[in-house]
Amino acid sequence: MTPPPEVNPSTRPDRRKFRGVLEIEWGSSMLSAPVQDIGPRGLFVVLVPPLWLGATFSGRLMLDPPVRLNCTVRRVEPGKGFAVTFAPSDKDGEVQLSKLLATLPPV
């Protein structure tokens, strides 16, 4: 039996081109950072210096209306930013993100 082909984690087939803003609740501060690329469970945040691997935070993806996300940093790219996995805080956010993803072109 042939083993499955290796998948490069940076070329996920479900990623979509997206330019937006994520407001990050970080302690008593609110950080605002650009987002590039989004998928059903993750996105890439452009922020230097980045948050550390494993950091968790609440954020708002600035759509109309904003979508609240619970995020965890999964990958850090020094000098560029970091990738997070996320879970929307409520069902309305899940529906809104699904509709958004359906309209975006693949990366």
Side-chain angles (χ1 to χ4, degrees), residues 6-15 44 74-75 77 83:
E6 287 188 33
V7 175
N8 181 344
S10 67
T11 58
R12 306 236 188 267
D14 53 358
R15 279 188 1 194
F44 190 83
R74 299 296 182 187
R75 181 173 41 96
E77 292 187 23

Side-chain angles (χ1 to χ4, degrees), residues 13-67:
D14 53 358
R15 279 188 1 194
R16 303 284 183 233
K17 292 180 184 178
F18 177 71
R19 299 293 181 259
V21 174
L22 182 68
E23 288 187 348
I24 300 168
E25 295 175 22
W26 192 244
S28 61
S29 299
M30 183 68 78
L31 307 174
S32 185
V35 171
Q36 78 179 42
D37 303 345
I38 189 170
R41 292 173 295 281
L43 52 82
F44 190 83
V45 180
V46 180
L47 185 66
V48 179
L51 301 182
W52 62 86
L53 191 62
T56 59
F57 61 90
S58 293
R60 286 186 302 176
L61 188 58
M62 300 310 292
L63 302 175
D64 185 20
V67 176

